[in-house]
Amino acid sequence: MSSLEQIEITTEELRHLVSPRAIEGDTILLNMGPQHPSTHGVLRLLLELDGEIVVNCIPDIGYLHTGIEKSIESKSYEKSEVMTDRLDYLNTMGNNLAYCLAVEKLVDLDVPERAQAVRVIFAELQRIASHMVWLGTHMLDLGAMSVFFYTFTQRERILDLMEMAGGQRMMTTYFRPGGLWRDVPDGWVEGVRELIDDLPRHFKEFEALISKNPIFLDRTKDIGILSAEDGLAWGVTGSTLRGSGVDYDIRKAEPYSGYERYEFDVPLATEGDVYARYWVRMKELYESVRIVHQALDKLPSGPFRSNNRKFVPPPRAELGESMEAVIHHFKLWTEGFPAPKNSVYLPVESPRGELGVLLEGDGGPKPYRCYWRTPSFVNLQVLPMLSKGHYVADLVAIIGSIDIVLGDTDR
Amino acid sequence: MHAQLEPVLTDLEQQFGASQSEFRGQARLLVAPQHILAAANALRDQHGFEMLAALSAVDYWPERTPRFHAVYEFKSLAKNLRLEVRVPLDGDDPELESITSVYPNADWHERELWDMFGLRIQNHPDLRRILMPADWTGHPLRKDYPLGYEEVQFSFNFEEIEARKPRPKE
C-alpha cells in the first residue's frame, strides 16, 4: 500500500511536490506538525524521508491565519493599532513601531524626540526578549533544557518593564501614532538601567554554556548552509541573512525613529550555517544593550506625544477646561482622522528581519489597504532548500535557527 | 527622492512605457501587466535590485479598470534604493505573469495573491492556496468579500440569534 493514501491531499496534487520514489512507496511521507513542539507554533511540514534523511520538505502554513489585514481595513487608524500586537507576539512593540511609523509617514506627522528615544529603548529591549525566547526554544529543540529556564528568567524582567510602562506584559499597544500612549512612569529609567547593567553578565553565561559545547558544535556546524546569493535571491532578511555575511540592517541602511544617532555595530558571520546564525544573534544582544545605554543617557525631556490635535487626542486634564479639547477628543474618538489617497511602504528591522507595512489611505478614516511584509513568511521559504539531504534532527536545528514565529508567518 | 533612482526610472519609462509618481519621497512606477516579467529582469540584471522585498495587491472594487494593483517592492542593497512597481489589472478574473524565474521568493507571495485576491498567476510552478484551506471558496481580501462577524446578543434579539446559533452535532 502506498503511504500516500494516509495523507489528506490526493496523489495527483502531490505528484509534482515529491520525488517519483514517494509515489512508488520507496520513501516515507511523514507529517511533522501542525502541533509539533519543535515547529515553534502551528506549522505543518510534510516530509519525504529516506530513512532518517530528508528528501523533500513541503511547508504548509495557514493553520493560524487570523485575517488581521482584513480586520485592520475595517477599523480606524488608531483603533487598528491593537491588532498589530497580535501579529508577532514576541515582537509586539516592534509591530506597534512599524505601524505607527507608517501612519505617521502617511499623514505626515512629527514625533517628539523623547517619544522616539523611548520607542528605540523598547524596540531594543523587545529584540533582547525575542532573542531570549529564540535561544531558549532553540536549545530546547537541541536537547538542552536548562538554558530555556535561564533565558525566560531574563525575558520576564523585560516584560516587567513593559508592563510598568504599558500596563500589559505583551499586548501593550504602547506606541500610538504621534508618540506614546503615556509617558514612562517613575522608576522606569532606573529599572531599565539596572536591567541593562546586569544583562551582559547573563549573556556571557549563556555563551559559556553553549558556544564551545561539543554536542552543540556537532549539531550546528555545517548544517543548513545558506549562501549569500541564495539568501538575497530568496529575500531572506535579518540575522538569518547576516549569518551568511550580507551586511544588511535596516536600522543602518534606512534609519528610522532616530537610529542614526546611536553607535552600534552589525555583527556578521560568513559561514551561513546554523552556528553562524546562532553567533550573530548572540552578538546582537550586546549591541542592543549598547543602543539602550546610549538612548537612556541621552533621553530628552519634553512632550511624549505630538500636540497636533488633528491626529493626537488632547491630554485628559485639558478636557475639563477647554471646549476646544473636548471637540478634538470627541472628533478623534468618533470619526478618527483622514489620510490622503496614497500609499507608503515602511520597513523596520524586527528581531527576525525586515518587517514592512504597506499602508494605503483613501481619504477616509480607515486604512484602505494594510499589508504586512512579515519576515517569518519570507524566511521560511528557504527551509526546503536548507533541509534537503540532512537528518530529521538537523531539520529541527534549522527551523530553530531561522527563528520563525507562526503568528508572523500567517498574519 | 534619491538621485540614483532617476536613471532607473527613466530607463524603465523608455523600455516599457511605465509612468512614474512620487509620494513622501517614495518612487513608484506603473508598469503594464505584459511587461512585468521583463521589467523584473531589467531591474535585477541591469539596475542591481537584488531583492524582491515584498509583493502584495490592492483591490479597488467597485472600480473595474483597473480593479487591482499588484504592488512589488524591490530593494537594492548595493545602492541602498527602494522602488515600488505597481501593475494595474482589469476585471474580476485578471491574469498576471509569474516572476518566480527572476526572484524565487515570489513563489509564496504569488500563491498568496492567488489565495487572497484571486489573481491568476501564469507560469507559476505550484499555484495552490497558501493561507486558506484548499477547498475554500472566494478570495478573502477582495473588497466585495464581506468581513464576517458575530452579532451581539441583547434581550430584544436574544431568541432570534439563539435559534440560529451553530451547535456541535449530537
Side-chain angles (χ1 to χ4, degrees), chain B residues 68-128:
Chain B
F68 296 99
H69 269 185
V71 186
Y72 298 75
E73 303 282 348
F74 293 102
K75 168 80 192 169
S76 162
L77 269 62
K79 298 184 201 157
N80 199 11
L81 294 177
R82 256 177 215 283
L83 175 64
E84 183 173 310
V85 172
R86 283 183 171 232
V87 177
L89 297 160
D90 295 339
D92 287 340
D93 196 16
E95 292 181 350
L96 182 66
E97 191 71 22
S98 168
I99 61 162
T100 41
S101 53
V102 191
Y103 295 96
N105 71 320
D107 186 344
W108 282 19
H109 283 303
E110 284 172 353
R111 279 175 67 187
E112 197 189 335
L113 286 191
W114 160 241
D115 191 357
M116 293 286 130
F117 288 94
L119 310 185
R120 217 172 280 281
I121 312 290
Q122 302 291 306
N123 301 325
H124 188 280
D126 176 28
L127 195 64
R128 289 175 295 138

Side-chain angles (χ1 to χ4, degrees), chain A residues 151-166:
Chain A
T151 56
F152 267 62
T153 312
Q154 301 311 316
R155 174 177 180 255
E156 207 61 30
R157 299 168 73 187
I158 296 172
L159 294 189
D160 284 347
L161 286 168
M162 286 165 57
E163 185 178 359
M164 204 172 164

Side-chain angles (χ1 to χ4, degrees), chain A residues 106-126:
Chain A
L106 187 65
V107 299
D108 201 12
L109 181 61
D110 284 332
V111 183
E113 302 243 315
R114 183 176 174 83
Q116 291 190 5
V118 173
R119 283 176 175 190
V120 167
I121 293 172
F122 266 128
E124 291 308 314
L125 289 180
Q126 186 80 74

Side-chain angles (χ1 to χ4, degrees), chain B residues 49-68:
Chain B
F49 283 81
E50 308 97 332
M51 198 185 266
L52 173 71
L55 167 53
S56 182
V58 187
D59 181 9
Y60 292 108
W61 182 81
E63 212 171 297
R64 295 281 158 174
T65 48
R67 173 164 176 183
F68 296 99

